[in-house]
Amino acid sequence: MRILRPALLTACLAALACVPALGQAEPKAKPAMAKPTGPTALLSLAKDSTQLTVEVNGQGVYYAAQLDDLATGGSASLSYRSQLLVNWEYLEAPELTILGATSAKSRYSTAGLDVELKQTLSAGPLTDSYLLNQRYTLSNPGTEAITVPVSRYQDSDLFTGAWEWTDAGYMPAKGKWTYLLSELSPQSSTVTNYVGISLSGGTEGRRVVRDCCGQTEVTAEENGLVSGDADGDGTSDYGNDRAMTQQRLVTVPAGQRVTITAQTLFGHTALSSRADLPTK
């Protein structure tokens, strides 16, 4: 498989390199990522004591996902870079149709497939949590079946109160979700920021939490591995700058369509333990 590097990312977004977490002092910033070019939509929703705003483009790429505490006025960035690639192709951002404050739709073509994307932000299952649902419908207008890899990547940059990278990886056994958390050992006395991803549809599902950065193929050898997990329990034992990837292989028969769903769970919750997080 080939790796295509985003060629469109030209404008630096230094302000989002590291956003203070709910009133904390700023950490030393790592090199700023560039903001997606082309049309974008701001999806925003308030729940419990917080509000989440995610800026998405027509391919489902987002870098900005900001959570605001409505009670204290503090804020935290829960995403540094996120994207879903079909056949490793990063495309010119298509036009979006904004359907309301929490949803948008778009169309584009890639790898011989026509893609319809609907993105919806809704309330999550936990206190102060939000679910971004991105549904990709892949249609094959040709006369032969097309098989492509689909890769979902998330780099979040989640910090401790002392502004050290935590990005604690967590991969529940036999579950569909993969997580990054701001706390190595969540407890109810501390609010934990977290981001979880899942990718459904297709076959040969693989997932990994790596040391940051780079969206590349998840090999069979590294499938199921979590960076920093020395004892094999599916969780990181120490903090580091990490990113997570889920990958599926998708076959679309000639004249038919297949749906791939990418879900992202954003949260700012006093978890009693990692077991509070959804697994399926």
Side-chain angles (χ1 to χ4, degrees), residues 39-201:
T40 60
L42 287 175
L43 308 183
S44 187
L45 180 66
K47 177 181 186 287
D48 301 318
S49 62
T50 59
Q51 181 171 357
L52 182 75
T53 302
V54 185
E55 183 179 8
V56 298
N57 76 6
Q59 198 183 353
V61 175
Y62 61 87
Y63 286 9
Q66 180 167 310
L67 185 142
D68 295 309
D69 190 317
L70 302 179
T72 67
S75 65
S77 172
L78 299 184
S79 179
Y80 188 66
R81 176 185 178 185
S82 174
Q83 60 191 27
L84 183 143
L85 299 182
V86 176
N87 202 39
W88 306 108
E89 295 183 1
Y90 193 98
L91 307 172
E92 193 72 38
E95 295 289 335
L96 294 98
T97 299
I98 298 174
L99 304 177
T102 60
S103 61
K105 66 178 181 180
S106 54
R107 294 184 178 183
Y108 62 95
S109 296
T110 182
L113 301 168
D114 296 328
V115 183
E116 296 181 12
L117 169 60
K118 184 173 182 181
Q119 306 181 75
T120 305
L121 183 64
S122 61
L126 303 176
T127 301
D128 288 317
S129 69
Y130 301 85
L131 187 66
L132 177 62
N133 193 79
Q134 296 172 299
R135 188 182 68 203
Y136 295 78
T137 301
L138 312 180
S139 300
N140 182 357
T143 58
E144 296 182 357
I146 297 176
T147 298
V148 292
V150 175
S151 175
R152 168 75 172 87
Y153 174 84
Q154 177 73 49
D155 175 7
S156 286
D157 286 0
L158 302 179
F159 298 91
T160 67
W163 278 113
E164 297 174 345
W165 263 299
T166 306
D167 276 347
Y170 171 45
M171 193 178 295
K174 300 181 180 179
K176 71 174 186 177
W177 289 91
T178 305
Y179 290 95
L180 293 174
L181 298 87
S182 65
E183 302 293 329
L184 290 170
S185 300
Q187 50 189 321
S188 56
S189 60
T190 302
V191 174
T192 298
N193 292 334
Y194 54 90
V195 178
I197 64 171
S198 74
L199 183 63
S200 61

Side-chain angles (χ1 to χ4, degrees), residues 213-247:
C213 302
Q215 185 174 8
T216 58
E217 178 186 1
V218 180
T219 65
E221 292 74 20
E222 66 178 347
N223 180 35
L225 297 181
V226 175
S227 165
D229 177 17
D231 54 9
D233 65 352
T235 63
S236 299
D237 302 323
Y238 57 89
N240 198 11
D241 185 9
R242 298 188 173 94
M244 49 188 173
T245 301
Q246 290 203 8
Q247 176 182 297

